[in-house]
Amino acid sequence: MQIKKVLSYLEQIAPSSLQESYDNAGLIVGNPEEEVKGVLICLDAIEAVVEEAIELECNLIVAHHPIVFRGLKRFNGKNYVERTIIKAIKHDIAIYAIHTNLDNVYHRGVNGVIADRLGLTNTSILAPKRGVRKLVTFVPPDDLELVRQALLAAGAGRVSGFSDLSYASLGVGTQNGRGGAQVKLEVSYAHHQERALVKALQKAHPAEEVAYDIILTENTLDEVGSGMIGELEVPMTEKDFLQQLKKTMGASCVRHTRLRRRKVRKVAVCGGAGGFLLSVAIARGADVFVTSDYKYHEFFDANGQLVIADIGHYESEQFTIQLLHEIINEKFSIFAAHCTKVNTNPVYYF
């Protein structure tokens, strides 16, 4: 099994096109053609994790956070990033990061893990992304079903909780003064599926030169976006919720804003630094917003409209390791997949 096969499967779950513009998810170092000997899964691919991979004879590290965010001009081991990369290359270990693309998916994503651990129901993406597009093509009536099924199999028609959606209308197509029956076929899709859809269309369509249009829309993707929001099955007091949050998420402490003396029913979550979603959490009626990396003055922004609960960056995302282990183990059985035993949290509490 080649490394690229594993990465291709991971990107079916969290397409690399869903990562944020500032991110550096993907294969950071390593040869994708190499055979997988073993996989080590971690949150941060630091030097100690590479050493662990060497001991376990793993030649692929799957990390949540990219070890390289910015360009490196020298490799002389002056900092932990350079030392990690040098050691990985020296021992033929590939490092792959699945970061904001895994944050941005509803199914089997980072925020879904948090929501599950907190027992949230009726969950949805907190801030859905725009990105619904429409593909329009013209097909001879006899080939309609073949082309339609090819597009649906490639992921089209799965928008707003529906599946296998398409629209076809019969008309007359003309070319060089000559006309004939044509069916106008329309399907909606998420922007990251575009390459696969066009490829499927060109393969299934009978014409050598396939005519099609791509139309951008203002619709949002219900299953792609930042954060998650849901409801507790049984509302609880703010203090009880914070105690449960601390225990469930394995947090040493929870930094929070002033309690409002109200029951907690609706909860918004965002793994990692989620302060950019505060206004959305307020607008959607959250009683508590669980996230991390809040600065002193940013706590004032809650303005008494909800409770901000900062549990720490590592604490909010640590269960992503188990998530990725489950995803890989369910698909592949010809190599060993390990969860790191190295605690990479750089923050300590006295």
Side-chain angles (χ1 to χ4, degrees):
M1 174 71 65
Q2 292 175 305
I3 287 175
K4 65 181 181 182
K5 297 290 186 180
V6 179
L7 307 190
S8 176
Y9 177 67
L10 291 175
E11 291 185 2
Q12 289 178 32
I13 294 169
S16 57
S17 59
L18 293 182
Q19 67 177 299
E20 300 295 337
S21 59
Y22 62 82
D23 200 8
N24 190 36
L27 185 60
I28 292 173
V29 61
N31 180 1
E33 304 294 332
E34 288 286 334
E35 293 292 314
V36 180
K37 299 176 183 176
V39 179
L40 181 60
I41 304 157
C42 63
L43 206 60
D44 308 282
I46 59 176
E47 193 174 6
V49 173
V50 176
E51 292 171 354
E52 184 182 21
I54 295 169
E55 293 176 3
L56 293 171
E57 298 183 348
C58 294
N59 65 337
L60 172 60
I61 294 174
V62 174
H64 182 46
H65 297 137
I67 183 64
V68 177
F69 259 106
R70 302 172 185 86
L72 299 177
K73 295 184 178 181
R74 292 178 176 84
F75 292 87
N76 53 33
K78 71 176 181 179
N79 58 48
Y80 80 99
V81 175
E82 293 180 8
R83 289 193 298 272
T84 300
I85 297 300
I86 290 170
K87 181 161 288 189
I89 293 174
K90 187 178 292 185
H91 292 273
D92 293 323
I93 295 174
I95 299 177
Y96 175 81
I98 182 167
H99 190 211
T100 52
N101 46 328
L102 191 63
D103 292 334
N104 281 332
V105 294
Y106 177 79
H107 292 292
R108 311 201 82 173
V110 173
N111 296 301
V113 172
I114 301 173
D116 287 344
R117 292 191 68 83
L118 296 181
L120 301 185
T121 61
N122 300 321
T123 56
S124 62
I125 293 290
L126 179 60
K129 289 188 180 295
R130 298 186 188 280
V132 176
R133 299 183 180 183
K134 182 180 288 188
L135 184 148
V136 181
T137 190
F138 300 89
V139 189
D142 291 344
D143 299 289
L144 171 62
E145 199 56 32
L146 176 65
V147 175
R148 188 209 310 264
Q149 291 304 322
L151 292 174
L152 296 179
R158 303 172 192 169
V159 180
S160 300
F162 297 96
S163 61
D164 295 346
L165 289 177
S166 67
Y167 179 79
S169 55
L170 182 63
V172 177
T174 60
Q175 183 178 5
N176 298 326
R178 300 170 62 183
Q182 290 282 309
V183 176
K184 180 181 180 182
L185 176 62
E186 303 176 50
V187 290
S188 295
Y189 63 94
H191 67 86
H192 62 272
Q193 298 171 319
E194 188 162 290
R195 182 179 298 179
L197 256 67
V198 171
K199 184 177 180 180
L201 172 64
Q202 293 173 333
K203 183 177 181 180
H205 200 286
E208 292 185 10
E209 297 272 343
V210 183
Y212 63 92
D213 296 318
I214 299 294
I215 301 172
L216 305 182
T217 77
E218 291 296 311
N219 301 70
T220 56
L221 299 165
D222 292 341
E223 297 187 354
V224 175
S226 303
M228 192 168 286
I229 191 167
E231 299 174 349
L232 297 172
E233 289 189 359
V234 180
M236 61 178 68
T237 67
E238 292 164 324
K239 286 187 176 180
D240 286 344
F241 176 78
L242 292 177
Q243 287 177 347
Q244 178 176 302
L245 173 66
K246 181 178 178 180
K247 180 180 179 181
T248 302
M249 298 304 296
S252 298
C253 68
V254 178
R255 299 192 304 150
H256 62 85
T257 52
R258 183 190 297 273
L259 301 184
R260 304 190 303 159
R261 297 182 180 179
R262 299 180 186 178
K263 290 284 188 178
V264 176
R265 181 181 64 86
K266 188 175 287 189
V267 180
V269 303
C270 180
F276 67 100
L277 292 171
L278 177 62
S279 62
V280 183
I282 292 172
R284 295 197 58 181
D287 301 303
V288 178
F289 179 32
V290 179
T291 188
S292 70
D293 293 357
Y294 256 82
K295 296 179 181 179
Y296 174 82
H297 288 97
E298 293 173 340
F299 280 96
F300 287 108
D301 295 336
N303 200 28
Q305 295 177 280
L306 50 59
V307 175
I308 295 172
D310 185 329
I311 61 175
H313 197 121
Y314 177 89
E315 288 78 5
S316 72
E317 296 183 328
Q318 60 182 310
F319 300 105
T320 303
I321 298 172
Q322 283 77 22
L323 169 66
L324 289 169
H325 184 264
E326 291 171 5
I327 290 171
I328 292 172
N329 254 0
E330 287 174 3
K331 179 66 176 180
F332 305 102
S333 60
I334 61 174
F335 55 78
H338 306 269
C339 293
T340 183
K341 294 182 180 179
V342 177
N343 185 332
T344 60
N345 190 355
V347 182
Y348 291 80
Y349 301 92
F350 184 71

